[in-house]
Amino acid sequence: MRIAIIGLGRMGANMARRLARRDIKVIGYNRSPEVAHELAREEENISAADSVAKAIGHLSPPRVVWLMLPAGAPTEDHLRQVAERLEPGDLVVDGANSNFHDTRRRGEWLGERSIGFVDAGTSGGIWGLENGYCMMVGGEKRYVELIEPALKALAPAPDRGWAHVGPVGAGHYTKMIHNGIEYGMMQALAEGLALLRSRDEFGIDLAQVSEVWRHGSVVQSWLLDLTADALARDQSLEAIQPVVSDSGEGRWTAIEAVEQGVPAPVMTLALQMRFASQDQEGYPARLLSVMRNAFGGHTITKAE
């Protein structure tokens, strides 16, 4: 099997490596050509292309072009570049984190040109190269079957860690909800460990407790594994600013909960806590302080 991968960032490059090491030929293209050429020097089954057109030119029908690009304009622009060079029966796969509304629209647009489209929501982060990726796939059955060898190679094992979850859009929708759940799990772990740390008289060792929880506990998880490893190296975290960024998928999940009328307070509040960590001005808190002073004469802490 031969696949062109457009976008060789952290995820795209490691996915290309994993495919190549399982005897799938990869043509890699990146907006910085040296990235693709470096990858080709590292891996026997990867070839570098200096343009989208050249990447597609190395493929034979039915051509498979796999996009691993940021959501929004980068994906939209490259998808249209790719579509101009494909023929009926060829296939585009979006393995990044696109909004499922965009995915459904793109699927319809490509379908009008008889070009297949599969959305492959992908989880695994920087550990995917070693451990495999969890893949949630949407699209027509015939197109999913076309890339099944690649899905089996990317997954932790051929028979697990990937699934055809529905039509076009279902893959990215499932991945979006997955990320919303991830927000909630992370927030709960962070709050619980902070509470343990707050009770000074017990002197609880967070590295010890998180390691204990990893074995036989109902909260054991890969997130806990990673947290325990981090705490074993440093519990103070003094060198880290208390600022947590958020991805588009957390926001999309909260919006979807509102639009569907489905209560999702944990995931939504976890997103809001990230917003709070990003607030450098603290204007709402300043207003709250003014209000308390106005109605109750409570003390205002003056700025430095």
Side-chain angles (χ1 to χ4, degrees):
M1 188 175 188
R2 188 181 292 262
I3 291 177
I5 294 184
I6 310 297
L8 300 173
R10 285 180 297 180
M11 285 280 282
N14 276 348
M15 290 172 70
R17 291 184 179 99
R18 188 170 174 90
L19 289 170
R21 294 173 189 180
R22 284 154 179 78
D23 296 323
I24 291 179
K25 306 293 184 182
V26 176
I27 313 301
Y29 168 74
N30 196 72
R31 64 178 181 177
S32 301
E34 63 273 12
V35 173
H37 287 282
E38 178 64 27
L39 202 57
R41 287 191 288 270
E42 292 176 7
E43 301 289 343
E44 182 178 352
N45 285 324
I46 297 179
S47 301
D50 292 331
S51 68
V52 169
K54 288 182 179 178
I56 294 172
H58 285 285
L59 303 176
S60 301
R63 300 167 184 84
V64 177
V65 180
W66 196 302
L67 304 180
M68 290 300 299
L69 298 162
T75 294
E76 188 79 22
D77 293 345
H78 282 83
L79 183 140
R80 292 184 177 274
Q81 288 184 51
V82 166
E84 290 174 359
R85 294 166 172 83
L86 295 182
E87 299 174 357
D90 292 341
L91 174 62
V92 178
V93 182
D94 183 0
N97 289 333
S98 291
N99 187 298
F100 77 97
H101 293 296
D102 290 335
T103 296
R104 295 173 71 178
R105 172 179 55 78
R106 291 163 182 162
E108 292 177 3
W109 184 78
L110 289 169
E112 292 170 357
R113 291 153 179 76
S114 298
I115 297 171
F117 188 53
V118 166
D119 53 304
T122 306
S123 180
I126 60 175
W127 298 91
L129 175 59
E130 179 181 350
N131 299 335
Y133 298 89
C134 175
M135 310 201 72
M136 299 143 269
V137 184
E140 291 184 36
K141 182 180 179 181
R142 57 177 170 150
Y143 291 121
V144 175
E145 289 177 346
L146 179 61
I147 60 168
E148 191 168 310
L151 296 173
K152 289 180 175 180
L154 288 167
D159 61 346
R160 64 179 185 272
W162 72 275
H164 181 194
V165 297
V168 170
H172 282 153
Y173 187 79
T174 305
K175 176 57 165 49
M176 179 186 77
I177 303 304
H178 163 282
N179 278 26
I181 294 170
E182 175 188 301
Y183 274 43
M185 292 174 65
M186 291 174 68
Q187 186 67 30
L189 278 173
E191 290 177 8
L193 289 164
L195 270 172
L196 286 174
R197 182 173 180 267
S198 71
R199 183 62 74 167
D200 293 336
E201 65 265 35
F202 289 151
I204 292 175
D205 185 331
L206 298 186
Q208 180 191 50
V209 170
S210 57
E211 178 62 28
V212 167
W213 285 352
R214 291 182 59 234
H215 306 282
S217 163
V218 295
V219 298
Q220 60 185 325
S221 64
W222 186 42
L223 278 174
L224 181 59
D225 293 344
L226 297 172
T227 304
D229 180 64
L231 290 172
R233 288 182 274 110
D234 176 22
Q235 290 189 40
S236 73
L237 306 181
E238 291 176 351
I240 299 173
Q241 289 291 327
V243 178
V244 187
S245 62
D246 67 285
S247 68
E249 295 206 326
R251 301 185 185 208
W252 301 338
T253 302
I255 293 169
E256 179 68 8
V258 172
E259 291 181 344
Q260 294 297 327
V262 175
V266 172
M267 293 188 288
T268 303
L269 184 55
L271 172 66
Q272 296 293 332
M273 290 299 293
R274 295 196 181 194
F275 292 162
S277 80
Q278 298 165 23
D279 180 11
Q280 300 296 311
E281 186 179 8
Y283 191 74
R286 296 171 195 260
L287 276 176
L288 288 170
S289 182
V290 168
M291 292 177 202
R292 291 183 77 245
N293 174 261
F295 69 70
H298 300 288
T299 301
I300 291 178
T301 302
K302 295 296 184 179
E304 292 287 340

